[in-house]
Amino acid sequence: VSLYSDGTAKLATPPISSFAMVGAYYYSFTDGELLIYNESNEETARFEVVDDTTIIYRAATVPLFAEAGTRYLAAPEISDARINIDELYTLYSMRTPYVGDNSAVGKIVHSLPEIDREHTQRFFSIGDDYGTRYAPYTLTLYYEPTGAETDDIRHLTVTPKISALLFALIDNLEEINYAFRSTPSNGELDKTAYTSRVTYYKNDIVDYIGTIGLTWEDFQNDWSGSVDKMFGLALGKGDGAIEDSQVGGGAHLLSYRARVIEVFSEHSLIIEVLPMINRERESKITERDGDNQLLTGEIVKAVFGNDNERAAEFIAHISVDDVVNISYLNRANITFNYTTNPIIVECDGIDIYDTDGRTIMEYF
């Protein structure tokens, strides 16, 4: 649910729903509840307001396919890229079968999210030959400093996701290059000034999206759902807040902010659950309001599957006292044994915070 300053509201319906949220919708807060209603002032959905960042779904008069009691949290801004999820949804209408269609590709490129706050993408070129045999099915995006000179390229954790979007939107694209220069341009493209380059191939991105549980067919069949899953916005993967959003098959994804006590193995960590952070406020989880939930202060052994190569890559450069998010699907056929110390949790994803433990720098 999205609330806007003009009093209007938007409810997102899942792909399995045949109901279309057409027309205008509005919202109000009454007696501790958030009410969504249509132009005829008829109630459409009702949420309990827990605090200024948390609501709980209670009921609806339209088929939202949400479970009563599901908790939703305010989606924080992703620190390393200014990502507008609604704009990403609209990208699907720009799909093109040919990377050689300069107009169509340009429209896609100029609608992409930024990779960070320090760089601006001003130019792109098609068909450059870097000796990789993929020309002319290549795309190069050129980035320059937004302000002063800089050689600092820190936030390349976003570029695999952007690459996945591009490969999904441009059918015969095989190679993407992100080129960087250390000084602002004069408004003209000088390829020789871009001295750093990062390259992604379609075959590599297939493996990457596979670690997230996605395929190219998923993007074709459910673009919005795939975007949500890849960027983690619909799953609450922001500032360490617990989220109980349904992700299908009767499972819900839960995410917790935690401090690393021990790197137990290449596929497991011993962690302490930390308070949630929402809009710079910390809040402790002191009571379980559902199965397989964790409380602030509990010690957990977070175990990742041997085939979860991306998690292993993250764990390889994690140290004691680092702050992370761990996430797992709350499957109906699994029940935690809270009598063990530590509690053993089979995890699916992990994010890494900065040194202050308040801003995520690497997303799973």
Side-chain angles (χ1 to χ4, degrees), residues 244-265:
D244 196 15
S245 301
Q246 189 167 358
V247 294
H252 293 69
L253 185 134
L254 300 178
S255 180
Y256 293 87
R257 178 170 167 265
R259 179 178 66 88
V260 176
I261 297 176
E262 177 186 353
V263 180
F264 191 82
S265 73

Side-chain angles (χ1 to χ4, degrees), residues 190-203:
D190 175 9
K191 293 182 180 180
T192 62
Y194 295 81
T195 55
S196 301
R197 181 163 52 89
V198 179
T199 303
Y200 295 93
Y201 304 108
K202 191 169 189 175
N203 289 339

Side-chain angles (χ1 to χ4, degrees), residues 51-62:
D51 54 38
D52 60 354
T53 62
T54 310
I55 59 176
I56 298 175
Y57 170 70
R58 290 307 181 196
T61 59
V62 296

Side-chain angles (χ1 to χ4, degrees), residues 174-309:
E174 295 291 339
E175 175 184 311
I176 301 171
N177 292 275
Y178 298 82
F180 299 86
R181 58 180 294 164
S182 58
T183 57
S185 71
N186 59 3
E188 297 182 1
L189 176 59
D190 175 9
K191 293 182 180 180
T192 62
Y194 295 81
T195 55
S196 301
R197 181 163 52 89
V198 179
T199 303
Y200 295 93
Y201 304 108
K202 191 169 189 175
N203 289 339
D204 294 333
I205 295 298
V206 168
D207 296 335
Y208 169 73
I209 64 174
T211 66
I212 307 173
L214 291 170
T215 66
W216 296 130
E217 289 73 21
D218 292 326
F219 283 97
Q220 295 173 11
N221 297 331
D222 179 11
W223 174 264
S224 297
S226 299
V227 166
D228 282 343
K229 189 170 185 179
M230 185 169 65
F231 281 89
L233 297 177
L235 303 179
K237 299 185 68 176
D239 284 340
I242 178 175
E243 174 64 74
D244 196 15
S245 301
Q246 189 167 358
V247 294
H252 293 69
L253 185 134
L254 300 178
S255 180
Y256 293 87
R257 178 170 167 265
R259 179 178 66 88
V260 176
I261 297 176
E262 177 186 353
V263 180
F264 191 82
S265 73
E266 61 180 342
H267 293 287
S268 60
L269 300 168
I270 306 296
I271 59 173
E272 176 190 5
V273 179
L274 296 177
M276 302 184 302
I277 296 179
N278 281 295
R279 298 180 181 177
E280 301 303 318
R281 294 173 55 190
E282 289 194 358
S283 59
K284 295 182 178 181
I285 309 167
T286 57
E287 296 182 1
R288 307 187 209 278
D289 58 6
D291 293 334
N292 298 337
Q293 295 189 355
L294 301 173
L295 304 181
T296 301
E298 286 188 316
I299 306 302
V300 174
K301 182 178 181 181
V303 180
F304 299 84
N306 291 334
D307 58 346
N308 194 334
E309 296 179 0

Side-chain angles (χ1 to χ4, degrees), residues 58-355:
R58 290 307 181 196
T61 59
V62 296
L64 297 181
F65 291 89
E67 292 185 2
T70 297
R71 181 187 298 259
Y72 297 91
L73 288 113
E77 180 182 6
I78 291 180
S79 60
D80 58 356
R82 299 167 188 173
I83 295 175
N84 183 316
I85 194 67
D86 291 326
E87 291 179 358
L88 294 186
Y89 293 155
T90 65
L91 284 172
Y92 188 74
S93 64
M94 306 178 191
R95 288 190 64 202
T96 177
Y98 307 114
V99 67
D101 187 335
N102 191 79
S103 176
V105 171
K107 187 177 180 181
I108 293 170
V109 167
H110 294 308
S111 300
L112 294 172
E114 300 174 7
I115 62 168
D116 62 16
R117 301 179 185 278
E118 286 74 41
H119 293 88
T120 299
Q121 184 268 320
R122 296 195 183 280
F123 310 101
F124 73 94
S125 61
I126 295 170
D128 294 284
D129 189 348
Y130 295 100
T132 57
R133 79 180 183 279
Y134 289 116
Y137 308 109
T138 65
L139 173 65
T140 304
L141 307 179
Y142 297 91
Y143 290 86
E144 60 187 76
T146 301
E149 177 177 347
T150 180
D151 289 317
D152 186 15
I153 305 172
R154 298 179 297 165
H155 300 310
L156 293 185
T157 56
V158 180
T159 50
K161 294 178 172 61
I162 295 177
S163 298
L165 295 179
L166 287 167
F167 285 126
L169 292 167
I170 306 171
D171 291 349
N172 69 341
L173 179 62
E174 295 291 339
E175 175 184 311
I176 301 171
N177 292 275
Y178 298 82
F180 299 86
R181 58 180 294 164
S182 58
T183 57
S185 71
N186 59 3
E188 297 182 1
L189 176 59
D190 175 9
K191 293 182 180 180
T192 62
Y194 295 81
T195 55
S196 301
R197 181 163 52 89
V198 179
T199 303
Y200 295 93
Y201 304 108
K202 191 169 189 175
N203 289 339
D204 294 333
I205 295 298
V206 168
D207 296 335
Y208 169 73
I209 64 174
T211 66
I212 307 173
L214 291 170
T215 66
W216 296 130
E217 289 73 21
D218 292 326
F219 283 97
Q220 295 173 11
N221 297 331
D222 179 11
W223 174 264
S224 297
S226 299
V227 166
D228 282 343
K229 189 170 185 179
M230 185 169 65
F231 281 89
L233 297 177
L235 303 179
K237 299 185 68 176
D239 284 340
I242 178 175
E243 174 64 74
D244 196 15
S245 301
Q246 189 167 358
V247 294
H252 293 69
L253 185 134
L254 300 178
S255 180
Y256 293 87
R257 178 170 167 265
R259 179 178 66 88
V260 176
I261 297 176
E262 177 186 353
V263 180
F264 191 82
S265 73
E266 61 180 342
H267 293 287
S268 60
L269 300 168
I270 306 296
I271 59 173
E272 176 190 5
V273 179
L274 296 177
M276 302 184 302
I277 296 179
N278 281 295
R279 298 180 181 177
E280 301 303 318
R281 294 173 55 190
E282 289 194 358
S283 59
K284 295 182 178 181
I285 309 167
T286 57
E287 296 182 1
R288 307 187 209 278
D289 58 6
D291 293 334
N292 298 337
Q293 295 189 355
L294 301 173
L295 304 181
T296 301
E298 286 188 316
I299 306 302
V300 174
K301 182 178 181 181
V303 180
F304 299 84
N306 291 334
D307 58 346
N308 194 334
E309 296 179 0
R310 185 161 177 79
E313 291 175 6
F314 276 39
I315 291 173
H317 60 272
I318 286 176
S319 302
V320 172
D321 289 333
D322 283 353
V323 178
V324 299
N325 266 354
I326 59 111
S327 56
Y328 56 89
L329 290 177
N330 186 10
R331 300 173 176 89
N333 62 341
I334 295 178
T335 302
F336 289 174
N337 182 355
Y338 293 109
T339 64
T340 63
N341 188 15
I343 301 166
I344 299 175
V345 177
E346 295 182 7
C347 295
D348 299 283
I350 183 171
D351 306 315
I352 302 177
Y353 282 80
D354 62 4
T355 53

